[in-house]
Amino acid sequence: MYSKFPHTEAIFILIEAANGFYTKNWMPGTSGNLSIRTSGANEPLNFVITASGKDKGALTPSDFVIVGVDGAPIEDTEHKSSAETLLHAAVYQKIKEARAVYHVHTVQAALLSNYGLTDGESIRFRGLEMLKGLGLDTHDTEVELPVLENSQDMLTLSQQLPHRIHRKVPGFLLKGHGLYTWGASPFHAKRHIEIWQYLFEYRLGELMLQGVPSSPALHSVGS
Ligand SMILES: [Zn+2]
């Protein structure tokens, strides 16, 4: 099991991750939030998370709060933690090995989650090599990413969440809102963001090609 994660190291990692996601337009307009669990495995939950309303392309070490299981800061601070902090806490409580929880607002996540899905449904992916990046042994495994109705009532949402997420599929979508994922380390959480985003872009491309006849150029066998 894991030990404590130093706050300063966590903040450094989160600044770098947010900057990378911001550059890709995955955290525009101060959106999204990233956290790392800093308490050890057998200690009460606490984690460091981006403060509410900060430009994710220009975070500084003072733009973070350390919060406990109820999402409230455990130290005096002028910053507010985001309302979505409760969802991070819910993930850490349900998925014991989660060390980092990353949440981004990508166009593709919002588009796909609104594409004819209702609350309680999932988006299914299979047959893609990149699925292995989610920790699967083979591309030939089916993954179902849960989709939940978006809400401003984060308390209720955080209570529903444990019934919809599982250890084997690191993520969920909030409809018209964005993607949450996690990992056993910040490295894994970042990788999962990138893999999901690849899968979303692939699926959107697939939907755009529906009904388009296959081009003869794709079938060329050479001369
Ligand atoms: Zn959000």
Side-chain angles (χ1 to χ4, degrees):
M1 288 302 261
Y2 51 83
S3 55
K4 277 181 187 293
F5 204 109
H7 288 139
T8 45
E9 189 183 339
I11 286 169
F12 175 77
I13 291 170
L14 292 177
I15 289 175
E16 198 172 77
N19 203 40
F21 297 152
Y22 177 84
T23 304
K24 293 184 166 85
N25 199 33
W26 296 351
M27 301 188 89
T30 77
S31 68
N33 29 71
L34 310 179
S35 73
I36 291 177
R37 176 177 178 147
T38 43
S39 55
N42 298 316
E43 297 171 330
L45 175 65
N46 62 62
F47 53 97
V48 58
I49 186 165
T50 44
S52 183
K54 300 294 176 182
D55 180 344
K56 300 306 187 297
L59 291 175
T60 70
S62 61
D63 293 332
F64 292 83
V65 282
I66 302 167
V67 300
V69 67
D70 59 355
I74 59 172
E75 295 177 344
D76 275 350
T77 173
E78 79 231 38
H79 294 311
K80 279 199 342 200
S81 56
S82 157
E84 294 178 64
T85 302
L86 283 174
L87 302 187
H88 290 245
V91 171
Y92 287 122
Q93 285 183 288
K94 163 93 187 205
I95 314 288
K96 295 300 179 198
E97 62 269 40
R99 211 71 231 263
V101 177
Y102 286 2
H103 167 52
V104 293
H105 285 208
T106 75
V107 172
Q108 293 83 357
L111 259 178
L112 259 190
S113 64
N114 268 339
Y115 192 78
L117 289 157
T118 57
D119 187 30
E121 292 187 313
S122 306
I123 303 179
R124 186 176 300 147
F125 299 98
R126 74 171 302 151
L128 289 167
E129 181 70 15
M130 286 291 266
L131 286 168
K132 288 160 66 180
L134 297 174
L136 306 174
D137 295 334
T138 161
H139 68 282
D140 197 23
T141 309
E142 202 161 87
V143 163
E144 297 213 349
L145 178 66
V147 178
L148 284 83
E149 199 61 50
N150 192 29
S151 168
Q152 301 309 315
D153 178 359
M154 289 299 156
L155 185 59
T156 303
L157 206 48
S158 70
Q159 289 161 349
Q160 294 167 348
L161 199 54
H163 305 290
R164 296 295 315 281
I165 61 175
H166 352 221
R167 287 182 60 236
K168 290 209 165 154
V169 180
F172 65 92
L173 279 176
L174 291 180
K175 265 174 73 66
H177 178 160
L179 166 71
Y180 274 81
T181 189
W182 54 85
S185 70
F187 170 84
H188 289 90
K190 177 173 177 282
R191 185 169 78 182
H192 293 163
I193 288 274
E194 292 170 359
I195 297 284
W196 286 125
Q197 185 61 16
Y198 173 95
L199 294 171
F200 299 160
E201 290 177 23
Y202 180 90
R203 179 56 50 83
L204 285 168
E206 203 172 45
L207 291 168
M208 285 170 68
L209 287 175
Q210 275 179 4
V212 177
S214 180
S215 164
L218 295 175
H219 301 282
S220 170
V221 289
S223 54

